[in-house]
Amino acid sequence: QVQLVESGGGLVQAGGSLRLSCTASGRSIRNGAVAWFRQAPGKEREFVAGLFRNNGRTYYDDSVKGRFYISADNTKNTVTLQMNSLQSGDTAVYFCALGQRTILSSLRFATAYDSWGQGTQVTVSS
């Protein structure tokens, strides 16, 4: 079983940056896909960014493309989400997810992931 722990959330002004980290323990995250999702109050959990471990390809929701960047560090077993030019619409709880058998067609669906972190709050003030 994999345990995922997020860190790095907080309060930031619009236009600022934050860096979220997700550390895995219990098993390597070198296979499958890792992703970040977010959930704002009263809304569905939505895909933000994903990365396939076998080829390093990254995918982003249109709302964050060009502002957010996902990366993985094998040596530290961590996944990072660099968030720049933050907007009030980015305010949400951000979750890290791992899917051992996730494929491209299911990358953006929360049901494709079998391990989740507890979430970290990101609040952007305007």
Side-chain angles (χ1 to χ4, degrees), residues 42-97:
K43 294 190 176 181
E44 298 278 329
R45 190 169 297 190
E46 63 178 12
F47 173 82
V48 175
L51 179 152
F52 282 103
R53 296 302 296 120
N54 61 343
N55 58 22
R57 290 184 177 174
T58 58
Y59 299 83
Y60 299 92
D61 184 76
D62 286 345
S63 64
V64 306
K65 201 171 293 183
R67 299 189 298 122
F68 290 14
Y69 300 94
I70 185 172
S71 61
D73 185 333
N74 278 346
T75 61
K76 298 181 181 179
N77 223 26
T78 60
V79 179
T80 299
L81 184 68
Q82 177 66 42
M83 305 187 295
N84 302 322
S85 302
L86 283 161
Q87 306 165 356
S88 57
D90 296 318
T91 295
V93 177
Y94 283 70
F95 298 89
C96 173

